[in-house]
Amino acid sequence: TTAENKAYLRSLPMQIRLDEQRPSMLLVHGSPRRINEYLSEDRPQSSFERLAKLAGSQALLFGHTHLPYQKSIHGTLFINTGSVGRPKDGDPRAGYVMLRSGFRTEVEFHRVAYDVQAAAAAIRSSGLPVEFADQLEAAGAVPKQDIPGRVDRRTA
C-alpha cells in the first residue's frame, strides 16, 4: 500500500451515522468503541447491552470478524455483515446484507460467487503473504499452513 493510499484510508470516517431514516443506523468496522474490536456472536449479553447504549441507534452494522449474524438486544439490531474477502465461515463467496425497513426491519444475508482462484493467484503474485491467498481459498476452514506437505507456491 502506498503512502498516498494509507493517507486516504486514514482520512475516512471511523463510523457513519444514519439517523434520518428508520431504523437509525451506525456503520462501523469493528465496534463503536474500536475499529479492530471483535463482536463475536457468543459475546455476553451484557457486552451487547453496553454497546447498544454507546451506539445510540436502532441498528448497528459491523463486520470485522467476517462471520455474518444478527441479534436483537434491547431494541438494537446488531448485524454482522460478513465479508467480501477472507471469509471465516467456510463459504468462499462474497457476502452482503440487504435491509428492508418498514413496520419491522428485515435482514437478508446474501452470497455471490466470484473467481476465488483468480483472486488467490493475484494475491500470490503480488508479494503479499501467501497465507492471505490460502485463507481466501480455505474460506475459514483448516488453514493450509496446517496441512502436512503444503507447498508455498511463491517459492515452488
Side-chain angles (χ1 to χ4, degrees):
T1 305
T2 66
E4 181 181 339
N5 289 340
K6 288 177 184 178
Y8 169 73
L9 291 172
R10 280 192 293 276
S11 77
L12 295 174
M14 297 296 279
Q15 50 185 240
I16 298 171
R17 186 171 290 281
L18 304 172
D19 286 329
E20 299 79 36
Q21 56 193 36
R22 291 293 172 248
S24 60
M25 295 182 219
L26 180 61
L27 288 70
V28 299
H29 178 80
S31 83
R33 291 188 289 219
R34 290 188 312 273
I35 194 169
N36 62 349
E37 182 174 8
Y38 285 94
L39 299 185
S40 301
E41 187 174 13
D42 60 354
R43 179 173 260 218
Q45 181 166 328
S46 60
S47 179
F48 282 105
E49 290 169 356
R50 286 190 300 275
L51 287 165
K53 286 180 186 176
L54 183 61
S57 61
Q58 295 165 315
L60 175 62
L61 288 84
F62 54 96
H64 188 52
T65 66
H66 294 227
L67 295 168
Y69 70 87
Q70 69 173 333
K71 65 173 23 182
S72 184
I73 305 288
H74 295 301
T76 298
L77 184 58
F78 289 82
I79 305 166
N80 188 313
T81 60
S83 69
V84 172
R86 247 181 125 189
K88 296 181 181 176
D89 63 356
D91 188 336
R93 297 174 296 165
Y96 69 94
V97 172
M98 292 286 294
L99 296 177
R100 289 201 172 93
S101 59
F103 178 71
R104 196 172 93 170
T105 301
E106 296 177 22
V107 180
E108 294 178 3
F109 293 88
H110 295 273
R111 296 293 182 128
V112 178
Y114 70 100
D115 191 342
V116 173
Q117 296 305 316
I123 291 169
R124 286 189 181 93
S125 67
S126 74
L128 289 168
V130 69
E131 292 80 17
F132 292 176
D134 292 346
Q135 290 167 353
L136 188 63
E137 290 172 330
V142 177
K144 290 188 177 187
Q145 59 266 27
D146 295 342
I147 299 171
R150 180 189 167 276
V151 175
D152 184 333
R153 292 185 193 104
R154 289 186 304 174
T155 58

